[in-house]
Structures are given as structure tokens and as C-alpha cells.
């Protein structure tokens, strides 16, 4: 299996269908969706179970309100894909994202970064804080320096497609019970990657209204 898409959920009934639909419409079908129930008390699980009846590549696990970091960590351990992609339950991915990633996966790239944009809210459509300059196959150290020098927001897990082995071989898991957990893990993920590519493609739609 090529991709494991990991989605932590916590009372996401208003968003989860659009999130799942954005993944299920991908033309590349070699993927699984792993959803983590982080203490849902609304109809999120019911919606997920309805999708699960229709799609055999959807799995749901319970995390009992341990937080987004623990949910992501559980998703990593339960995944079967060569590459891991994180999506927040109130966001969406671009309809051609997997197709854009496949050539770089076929080239055995360890880590592929794509860009993101805000959807909704008061931010300008010209806001480019999640837009990084593209490059091909830099080593981890040089890629990390490049991202830092661009002064853009890059330490977010939902802008990366990473080999699962980069997480597991280096014992990279999100710190539980801490804020800004992204900042703790993403620079290490980049540094431990032998090859990093940044593509000029907006692959993630970040719903600002719900954050």
C-alpha cells in the first residue's frame, strides 16, 4: 500500500464528510484512511461508520481523549502504507494531491512537502505563509536550512508526505500533552530524511474558521 492517511477526530460532525470526500475522490486508489476517535460525543463516529460500510479501506480506532498527538501516534502504529499523510478532520486535500505525489514516491523520495492555503475566515486569498519555494531532493539538513531561511510556516504535519520508516526507525512520535507539538517533531522529520523534495503545488486546504 502506498499511502496511509491519518485523521484524528474530535466532535467533527460538521466537517468530516467533506474531509473524507476530498480523499476518496483521489484518482490514485492505493491508500487507506485511518480515523482516530479522540473522544467524539457528537455524530462523528456514526458518519464515519456509514463511510466504513461503503469503503473497505477505512478504519476507525478509539483513543479516549488523549489529544491530537496521541491520536497521530496511534495512527502511525496502525498504518500499513509506505508513506504517511496527516489530515485534520476539519480540513480537505486537493483533488489531485496523490497524483502529484506519486512520481516522487516512485523516485523513492523520503519526504515530500506540498503547500497549503487558508479556506474561509478573514485571511486574504493572497496570504502565502504556507507557500514554500520548490526544490528537488535535498538532504535533510540542507532542506531544513532552506525552509528556515524562507521564513514561512513549514512545521505542520499536514503539509508532508513522509515514509513511515522515517517516523518508526528514528522513534519520531508527537509529544503528548504539549502545545505546538508540530514544532517539536517536523524539524526532526526533515533532518532525518535523506532526500527531501518541496513541490510547487497547493495540496492542502486549511479551514481557518474552525481553528
Amino acid at each position: 500500500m502506498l499511502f496511509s492517511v491519518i485523521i484524528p477526530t474530535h466532535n467533527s460532525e460538521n466537517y468530516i464528510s467533506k474531509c473524507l470526500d476530498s480523499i476518496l475522490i483521489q484518482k490514485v486508489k492505493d491508500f487507506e484512511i485511518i480515523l482516530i476517535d479522540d473522544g467524539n460525543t457528537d455524530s462523528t463516529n456514526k458518519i464515519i461508520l456509514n463511510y466504513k460500510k461503503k469503503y473497505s479501506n477505512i478504519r476507525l480506532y478509539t483513543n479516549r481523549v488523549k489529544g491530537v498527538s496521541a491520536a497521530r501516534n496511534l495512527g502511525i502504529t496502525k498504518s500499513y502504507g509506505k508513506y504517511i499523510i496527516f489530515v485534520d478532520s476539519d480540513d480537505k486535500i486537493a483533488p489531485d494531491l496523490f497524483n502529484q505525489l506519486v512520481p516522487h514516491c516512485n523516485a523513492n523520495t523520503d519526504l515530500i512537502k506540498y503547500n497549503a492555503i487558508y479556506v474561509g475566515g478573514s485571511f486574504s486569498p493572497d496570504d502565502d505563509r504556507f507557500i514554500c519555494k520548490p526544490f528537488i531532493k535535498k538532504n535533510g539538513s540542507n532542506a531544513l536550512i532552506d525552509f528556515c531561511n524562507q521564513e514561512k510556516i513549514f512545521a505542520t504535519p499536514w503539509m508532508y508526505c513522509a515514509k513511515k520508516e522515517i517516523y518508526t526507525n528514528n522513534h519520531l512520535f508527537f509529544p503528548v500533552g504539549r502545545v505546538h507539538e508540530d514544532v517539536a517533531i517536523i524539524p526532526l522529520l526533515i533532518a532525518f530524511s535523506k532526500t527531501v523534495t518541496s513541490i510547487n503545488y497547493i495540496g492542502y486546504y486549511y479551514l481557518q474558521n474552525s481553528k
Side-chain angles (χ1 to χ4, degrees), residues 113 152-160 181-187 190:
K113 186 199 171 295
K152 303 289 186 177
I153 297 174
F154 69 90
T156 56
W158 35 257
M159 286 198 295
Y160 293 90
E181 72 285 345
D182 303 355
V183 178
I185 196 74
I186 297 304
I190 297 168

Side-chain angles (χ1 to χ4, degrees), residues 87-103:
V87 179
D88 284 355
S89 59
D90 49 358
D91 296 334
K92 299 188 295 184
I93 62 172
D96 199 38
L97 175 60
F98 291 178
N99 206 39
Q100 295 289 327
L101 295 173
V102 164

Side-chain angles (χ1 to χ4, degrees), residues 2-3 6 11 33 62 68 101 122 153 159 178 185 193:
L2 188 57
F3 299 123
I6 299 171
N11 295 339
I33 301 175
T62 299
V68 65
L101 295 173
S122 58
I153 297 174
M159 286 198 295
R178 297 183 183 180
I185 196 74
S193 298

Side-chain angles (χ1 to χ4, degrees), residues 17 20 50 63 98 116 154:
S17 291
L20 289 172
N50 285 334
N63 199 48
F98 291 178
F154 69 90

Side-chain angles (χ1 to χ4, degrees), residues 91-92 116-119 130 158 204-208 211:
D91 296 334
K92 299 188 295 184
I117 56 170
Y118 284 107
V119 177
F130 294 119
W158 35 257
Y204 196 89
Y205 303 148
Y206 178 90
L207 184 58
Q208 189 268 333
K211 305 300 181 182

Side-chain angles (χ1 to χ4, degrees), residues 41-106:
T41 58
D42 61 2
S43 63
T44 299
N45 287 353
K46 182 179 179 180
I47 295 169
I48 293 171
L49 290 174
N50 285 334
Y51 273 88
K52 193 172 180 290
K53 291 176 183 177
K54 299 177 183 178
Y55 300 96
S56 60
N57 60 340
I58 292 179
R59 289 185 281 140
L60 174 63
Y61 296 94
T62 299
N63 199 48
R64 301 198 182 278
V65 202
K66 294 181 180 178
V68 65
S69 290
R72 287 171 177 159
N73 293 340
L74 178 60
I76 293 171
T77 61
K78 296 294 185 181
S79 64
Y80 292 109
K82 181 178 180 180
Y83 287 89
I84 287 176
I85 294 170
F86 289 104
V87 179
D88 284 355
S89 59
D90 49 358
D91 296 334
K92 299 188 295 184
I93 62 172
D96 199 38
L97 175 60
F98 291 178
N99 206 39
Q100 295 289 327
L101 295 173
V102 164
H104 303 286
C105 296
N106 289 341

